Amino acid sequence: MTLQPPFINPTIPFSTEIQGGLKDGMIITVCGRVMSDADRFNINLEYGSDVVLQVNPRYSWLLPISGYVVHNTRLKGKWGWEEPKMGTPFPRGQMFALQIFVTKDSYKIYTNGELFSEYNHRLPFSNVDRICVVGMVDLNLVTYRYSMHHLNALSGSLIVPYKTIIYGGVQPGRCIVIQGQINPTANSIGFSLRHKTGIAFDYSARFDKNVVVCNSYEDGKWGKTEQTDQMPFTRGRHFLVVICCASHEYNVFVDGKQTETYPHYKTLEEIDVFELSGDLQLNFVQL
């Protein structure tokens, strides 16, 4: 199935159609950074003027750092009862990764790889045809897809080195999201997209030389190395990496900034394994 292309670094306010509408098993991913002086922002699933689901992080002088999150629905111009949850996985000034997993009974809302809340349907999710994001937030990624293996796609407390199957292979429009923290004394970290006989894309950040290296391994030998001295990672710091697989290239984004474009020489559907290694703590992976 061809995936709808992801939206990379879209402007706020953001609004776009969800092609084909929502279905049971769909995962909506929103990655970004909350502004340091934010008072609130909204992530809405809409149908016409109705808001079928609103996820609304709020901040105030009483809760300047942690804040809280409100869930609600608006039907024919009238809001329903608020479902608040104290505390927030969206601290001011920090990166976040949010997933809304659609089930037949509810929306399961994951943040940074962990289940944060669950919101029972008040209106049919099949009505939803649009996602909107407004407020004091910078967006890095908005994407949505269907998954029969959501428990493998949304994972926390992951062990490094990490290896997992990409069910159905890689397709144009697929984005791989990785969130974690570099160790204070790190020497290197690496991400690999593999197939049965080689490595389609190998991305390695080497702190000892302060370089990033990209390559591929085919027919028993490495290809031509591509190297840059623009290091997007910092020892001891958190990071959010997005690898977007386009029809002719891989695009790598670190903390919302594009750092690499690497052409691929292998049929995407043949790539079925993702690996990660190095000196880091891994918090979250979505395939």
Side-chain angles (χ1 to χ4, degrees), residues 1 7 23 31 47 51 73 106 128 130 149 154 159 163 172 176 180 191 231 249 252 254 267 269:
M1 178 178 62
F7 296 88
K23 293 180 174 61
C31 298
Y47 174 66
V51 178
T73 294
S106 66
V128 174
R130 181 165 293 274
H149 304 276
L154 303 173
I159 298 173
K163 180 178 181 179
I176 298 170
F191 314 104
M231 173 61 73
E249 61 195 16
V252 181
V254 180
T267 303
E269 287 77 6

Side-chain angles (χ1 to χ4, degrees), residues 163 192-202 215-223 250 265-267 270-275:
K163 180 178 181 179
S192 295
L193 292 172
R194 296 175 173 260
H195 52 88
K196 291 181 179 180
T197 60
I199 304 172
F201 178 47
D202 186 78
N215 210 334
S216 57
Y217 184 81
E218 303 288 345
D219 300 323
K221 59 183 180 180
W222 288 98
Y250 307 100
Y265 307 101
K266 193 71 177 178
T267 303
E270 295 181 34
I271 301 168
D272 58 1
V273 172
F274 172 73
E275 290 190 354

Side-chain angles (χ1 to χ4, degrees), residues 256-282:
K257 297 180 180 180
Q258 186 167 2
T259 61
E260 302 292 338
T261 297
Y262 186 82
H264 60 70
Y265 307 101
K266 193 71 177 178
T267 303
L268 285 177
E269 287 77 6
E270 295 181 34
I271 301 168
D272 58 1
V273 172
F274 172 73
E275 290 190 354
L276 182 150
S277 61
D279 305 313
L280 75 157
Q281 300 174 38
L282 184 59

Side-chain angles (χ1 to χ4, degrees), residues 75 88 90 98 124 153 192 205 228 245 276:
L75 176 62
T88 182
F90 312 103
L98 173 142
S192 295
T228 175
C245 303
L276 182 150

Side-chain angles (χ1 to χ4, degrees), residues 218-257:
E218 303 288 345
D219 300 323
K221 59 183 180 180
W222 288 98
K224 182 180 178 180
T225 297
E226 295 190 9
Q227 180 175 305
T228 175
D229 59 1
Q230 300 297 315
M231 173 61 73
F233 303 96
T234 303
R235 286 170 168 159
R237 295 286 298 273
H238 288 86
F239 68 85
L240 179 68
V241 170
V242 178
I243 303 173
C244 290
C245 303
S247 56
H248 301 291
E249 61 195 16
Y250 307 100
N251 295 296
V252 181
F253 298 81
V254 180
D255 295 342
K257 297 180 180 180

